[in-house]
Amino acid sequence: MGEFSRSDFPEKSIDLFLQMRRESDVRPDDFSFPLVLRACAGSGMAELGTSVHALCLRMGWSRDAVLWTAMLAGYAQHGEPVLGLQVFEEMVNLGIKLDGVVMVSLLLVFGRLGWLKQGKSVHGWCVRNCLGLELSLGNAIVDVYVKCAILGYAHRVFDRMSERDVVSWSSLILGYGLSGNVSVALELFDQMHLRGVRPNDVTFLGVLSACAHGGLVEQARVYFKMIPDCGLVAELKHYACMVDCMGRAGLLEEAERFIEEMPIEPDEAVLGAVLAGCRVHNNVDVGERIAKRLIRLKPEKAGYYVLLSNMYAAVGRFDEAEIVRDFMKEKSLSKVPGCSLIESKSYFPSSTENEVLDCF
């Protein structure tokens, strides 16, 4: 079970655990529980992880720091930041010892939630407790600042790290690429290449996003062609970036042809990138075709009807704009109001600007 939980096949560890529960009287202990929780984290089985956690509680193993840390890591890594935060709150209430491993998972939680204040507080706690910037902790601190769009802090932490891997480079490149800092993102990519670090899918997402912001269509094509050369397969997010780059540059017919030639079915993000370009450049012909595809894909989404109606109106096709509006009324379609998250209380003393910058 242990080897499987640490391998690329964590599901096998889970299968063995379930088989042990069904077919034997062997009682799980403080050795087997962390293994299966790690496997749940590695396979993205958050619901099963919650069930295993509940079993831990019923059997009296809940005060083991390894168990709690495994649960927190599982939720943090697989898109359940609120549940991860609840686990951390329980850890604090029970007096579980906090360490660098816990801080890595907690930083992932705060990054996903975009909670800068809490992320800085954890960073300050790490500085006060002299944890240094070993690879996983350094990457987590960089990640939280990138996700909160504080790229200056992220870059300073990156520069102070004694060891960097593809995650370190890619996180920073993606941050600069998405924020439109084109020259910095591409320069970081060049530096990474010179140091022999092999790019991953996130790296290419970063440089393609930078090209889209900078209108660098030809450069984007070069990077896109590099993806298979690096042993990777282009994903929908990479196609969306390419289409966005063409759309921003006004190459909308080319973007439409690019979509038709894709080896995979375009999703909402890919089609939406073309539609956004059509709106900017008033290309109603392509926009009409793309909007209709999006409406077929997401018939309940009012925004696409509104965009189509607005495009018609912008070029004086008011009758068609009115038809779309009437159809929306008939189907009772309207935009969904937004919502917000409520921030949690902080379990760390507030860190001053100077304290956080001590590590720089």
Side-chain angles (χ1 to χ4, degrees):
M1 186 186 297
E3 290 304 314
F4 284 132
S5 73
R6 288 182 289 268
S7 73
D8 293 331
F9 307 100
E11 295 84 0
K12 292 186 178 180
S13 178
I14 295 169
D15 290 342
L16 285 171
F17 176 79
L18 295 176
Q19 184 179 355
M20 179 183 77
R21 294 287 293 163
R22 285 193 308 265
E23 301 176 10
S24 76
D25 296 325
V26 177
R27 183 181 173 87
D29 56 18
D30 56 349
F31 175 76
S32 57
F33 273 131
L35 297 177
V36 74
L37 285 169
R38 185 185 295 119
C40 290
S43 61
M45 297 183 180
E47 186 175 344
L48 179 60
T50 301
S51 299
V52 175
H53 183 210
L55 179 61
C56 294
L57 294 174
R58 290 199 301 271
M59 298 183 67
W61 297 109
S62 62
R63 292 183 181 273
D64 188 293
V66 178
L67 295 176
W68 286 101
T69 304
M71 281 298 298
L72 175 58
Y75 287 134
Q77 293 167 10
H78 296 285
E80 297 286 353
V82 176
L83 292 175
L85 196 57
Q86 290 173 1
V87 169
F88 177 72
E89 289 175 350
E90 292 182 56
M91 292 176 70
V92 172
N93 292 334
L94 291 171
I96 302 294
K97 181 178 173 60
L98 305 179
D99 58 16
V101 177
V102 174
M103 294 302 108
V104 168
S105 297
L106 193 59
L107 285 163
L108 290 176
V109 167
F110 291 150
R112 285 184 179 273
L113 293 172
W115 289 0
L116 175 62
K117 180 180 177 181
Q118 285 82 355
K120 287 175 68 175
S121 295
V122 173
H123 186 188
W125 186 91
C126 295
V127 172
R128 288 194 299 274
N129 287 272
C130 303
L131 294 187
L133 285 173
E134 57 86 19
L135 185 59
S136 59
L137 183 57
N139 282 347
I141 294 172
V142 169
D143 179 73
V144 77
Y145 285 134
V146 165
K147 292 225 170 49
C148 295
I150 310 297
L151 297 176
Y153 277 18
H155 208 146
R156 286 189 229 176
V157 174
F158 175 86
D159 287 340
R160 293 277 296 186
M161 292 171 64
S162 58
E163 180 187 2
R164 304 176 194 128
D165 62 4
V166 64
V167 175
S168 322
W169 287 95
S170 300
S171 181
L172 202 57
I173 290 169
L174 180 62
Y176 280 115
L178 291 175
S179 66
N181 286 279
V182 181
S183 59
V184 179
L186 301 188
E187 182 183 347
L188 282 168
F189 182 84
D190 290 340
Q191 291 177 18
M192 176 183 174
H193 181 71
L194 287 173
R195 286 166 172 76
V197 181
R198 192 182 186 88
N200 64 12
D201 60 320
V202 177
T203 321
F204 283 109
L205 183 61
V207 292
L208 290 173
S209 297
C211 290
H213 280 285
L216 306 176
V217 179
E218 292 304 318
Q219 189 66 37
R221 290 194 181 102
V222 172
Y223 288 130
F224 192 80
K225 289 177 181 177
M226 287 176 63
I227 294 176
D229 295 339
C230 293
L232 302 169
V233 176
E235 301 175 28
L236 281 167
K237 58 191 177 185
H238 301 113
Y239 284 102
C241 280
M242 281 299 299
V243 168
D244 184 39
C245 190
M246 296 176 195
R248 287 173 185 248
L251 303 174
L252 297 162
E253 287 79 8
E254 183 177 345
E256 189 177 23
R257 287 196 301 273
F258 182 82
I259 288 175
E260 295 300 332
E261 295 169 0
M262 283 173 55
I264 49 180
E265 193 68 24
D267 66 354
E268 187 179 5
V270 174
L271 295 171
V274 183
L275 187 60
C278 292
R279 183 184 179 190
V280 171
H281 296 282
N282 281 330
N283 189 321
V284 182
D285 292 336
V286 176
E288 183 179 37
R289 291 192 293 270
I290 296 297
K292 288 179 178 178
R293 289 184 68 168
L294 279 164
I295 287 169
R296 286 195 296 271
L297 186 65
K298 295 283 183 178
E300 75 288 350
K301 200 154 185 178
Y304 297 132
Y305 297 90
V306 173
L307 283 174
L308 180 57
S309 176
N310 290 344
M311 281 193 295
Y312 283 144
V315 293
R317 293 164 64 175
F318 299 111
D319 290 344
E320 289 161 288
E322 190 62 30
I323 290 171
V324 175
R325 293 284 183 178
D326 289 342
F327 181 81
M328 290 180 66
K329 290 176 184 177
E330 180 185 333
K331 297 296 182 181
S332 300
L333 293 169
S334 61
K335 287 193 173 182
V336 179
C339 60
S340 62
L341 286 169
I342 300 174
E343 289 199 3
S344 80
K345 55 188 175 180
S346 176
Y347 289 94
F348 301 93
S350 295
S351 297
T352 65
E353 198 82 1
N354 288 336
E355 182 179 37
V356 171
L357 293 177
D358 279 347
C359 66
F360 301 141

